Amino acid sequence: MAKKILVTGGTGYIGSHTVVELQESGYEVVIVDDLSNSSIDVLDNIAKISGTKPAFEQFNLADKEKTSDFFKRNQGIEAIIHFAAFKAVGESVQIPLNYYRNNLVSLMNLLDCQREFNVPNMVFSSSCTVYGQPEKLPVTEATPRKDAESPYGNTKRVSEDILQDSVKAYPELKAIALRYFNPIGAHPSALIGELPLGVPQNLVPFITQTAAGLRDELKVFGDDYNTPDGSAVRDYINVVDLAKAHVTAIARLLDGKNKANYEIFNLGTGDGLSVLEVVKGFERATGEKLNYKIVERRAGDVEQIWADTTYANEELGWKAEKGLDETLLSAWNWEKKVRGIE
């Protein structure tokens, strides 16, 4: 019988790709999502790719009563992958309390229900934002965390602390925190991808929307950083590669192969690329010219960061495989499909 996995935020960008990979690996998936930054149509597209439409319930996990009622009605869940969270760095600076309330309360509600309903395993969607601006690059899992540059980043840091303290206090719980670097791209089918509601907060959707004519120009935030071309440097990872790491992490917990009740893994490519390198990469991969303009730095952004992925490569047996051009082309194919561009 297929093992049942709860995926919170499963109609979102990374969540939907992970649901596909889980279903294609033989798991039964139940999604909870409040659809605050995603669309119900994603369920049909997941079904087109994987052949199975996952079970779905719409509510916000910060609502304790609804969360508890969900677990009462859904017995037999063996693990949770927790994506559901507000995630825009810039917005979190403007409305911090919304971010703390939503991101932290939802996690605590889930942990309470894990204990009450005997769901021992969680894979948590964390972020490289917990490293702040590191003094030494690349960052390893042992790199000290720093004060977050944004309330969003702080919710990830505090969530990790909540998880670590919880598995220490309640030995029946096991958790893996996956610290993502920058997920980009779309499923090769062009049926699911990143589709932010409103103005995109991330680089690649802004690039594709500019190329599609939805945005007049792409703003590059800063060209005076201490980097080779002055623009900020990140580790950009294909979303399908990232999704596969979650399947590997779930199997590690379910098979009892975890070496501690709380583990952390960096998920990236191990390469740092500047914003301008990504812009040029998009033009190279697609043949489209971008109208971009250098503007002032953005609040909350770090200068440069990329991952040392040795630990995830060796311990999880996982590695990012897809290159930049293939990834950017997949993002453009997705954007064209959404906009009906030939």
Side-chain angles (χ1 to χ4, degrees):
M1 190 167 156
K3 292 178 175 176
K4 190 190 285 190
I5 312 295
L6 165 62
V7 181
T8 75
T11 58
Y13 175 43
I14 306 168
S16 60
H17 288 81
T18 301
V19 170
V20 166
E21 297 301 323
L22 284 166
Q23 292 191 157
E24 291 185 338
S25 298
Y27 293 98
E28 178 188 348
V29 176
V30 184
I31 293 173
V32 169
D33 200 306
D34 68 357
L35 300 179
S36 62
N37 195 33
S38 58
S39 164
I40 194 72
D41 300 339
V42 169
L43 296 175
D44 290 331
N45 291 334
I46 288 172
K48 284 176 191 169
I49 298 167
S50 67
T52 306
K53 188 171 182 177
F56 172 80
E57 293 200 24
Q58 181 181 351
F59 65 92
N60 189 306
L61 291 152
D63 185 322
K64 181 68 182 284
E65 202 174 307
K66 287 182 180 174
T67 304
S68 187
D69 176 64
F70 167 82
F71 278 94
K72 277 179 196 151
R73 291 182 289 99
N74 289 271
Q75 300 295 316
I77 293 169
E78 295 193 41
I80 299 167
I81 304 182
H82 183 37
F83 292 107
F86 295 159
K87 63 172 192 173
V89 169
E91 183 183 67
S92 78
V93 174
Q94 296 162 346
I95 49 170
L97 291 180
N98 293 33
Y99 273 68
Y100 287 116
R101 192 176 296 111
N102 184 72
N103 294 7
L104 300 182
V105 173
S106 59
L107 174 62
M108 290 187 283
N109 286 346
L110 281 173
L111 286 163
D112 278 338
C113 287
Q114 281 187 263
R115 296 184 63 220
E116 185 179 349
F117 298 98
N118 192 27
V119 182
N121 304 300
M122 179 183 282
V123 172
F124 177 66
S125 162
S126 192
S127 166
C128 66
T129 57
V130 300
Y131 297 116
Q133 179 55 68
E135 286 166 21
K136 189 178 172 189
L137 290 165
V139 294
T140 71
E141 288 79 0
T143 296
R145 298 183 313 168
K146 287 194 165 186
D147 289 344
E149 301 277 331
S150 68
Y152 161 72
N154 204 32
T155 67
K156 291 300 185 186
R157 181 187 164 125
V158 175
S159 291
E160 286 191 0
D161 292 342
I162 290 169
L163 276 176
Q164 188 166 16
D165 290 342
S166 297
V167 300
K168 205 180 287 179
Y170 316 119
E172 69 272 22
L173 298 181
K174 297 183 293 181
I176 291 176
L178 299 177
R179 290 175 178 166
Y180 315 154
F181 284 69
N182 288 62
I184 59 171
H187 195 270
S189 65
L191 287 166
I192 54 173
E194 189 169 12
L195 189 62
L197 303 180
V199 179
Q201 300 288 327
N202 295 333
L203 174 62
V204 171
F206 218 112
I207 285 176
T208 57
Q209 287 191 15
T210 304
L214 270 78
R215 309 281 160 199
D216 292 335
E217 64 183 11
L218 168 71
K219 291 181 173 68
V220 175
F221 296 104
D223 67 345
D224 57 351
Y225 287 110
N226 185 26
T227 60
D229 61 22
S231 63
V233 168
R234 298 286 183 273
D235 186 334
Y236 295 95
I237 177 172
N238 186 289
V239 68
V240 175
D241 282 338
L242 188 63
K244 287 177 176 172
H246 291 77
V247 182
T248 308
I250 281 290
R252 181 179 177 86
L253 290 174
L254 293 176
D255 296 343
K257 292 184 177 171
N258 53 304
K259 292 184 176 171
N261 274 15
Y262 179 66
E263 295 183 306
I264 297 162
F265 296 96
N266 284 339
L267 298 183
T269 64
D271 292 319
L273 292 169
S274 74
V275 171
L276 290 173
E277 282 178 304
V278 174
V279 167
K280 292 180 177 106
F282 180 83
E283 292 180 336
R284 181 177 64 242
T286 65
E288 300 288 329
K289 282 287 169 208
L290 285 170
N291 179 32
Y292 66 91
K293 177 182 167 186
I294 310 290
V295 297
E296 287 183 1
R297 296 182 184 190
R298 182 171 59 176
D301 279 348
V302 300
E303 179 171 276
Q304 52 185 330
I305 189 168
W306 65 91
D308 181 328
T309 60
T310 308
Y311 188 56
N313 299 160
E314 292 176 356
E315 229 4 88
L316 285 179
W318 166 90
K319 195 173 194 307
E321 293 171 353
K322 296 179 185 291
L324 180 68
D325 286 21
E326 176 187 358
T327 301
L328 292 171
L329 184 58
S330 72
W332 179 229
N333 289 339
W334 157 249
E335 186 75 47
K336 287 195 294 183
K337 189 171 182 74
V338 169
R339 308 299 171 194
I341 299 169
E342 292 301 322

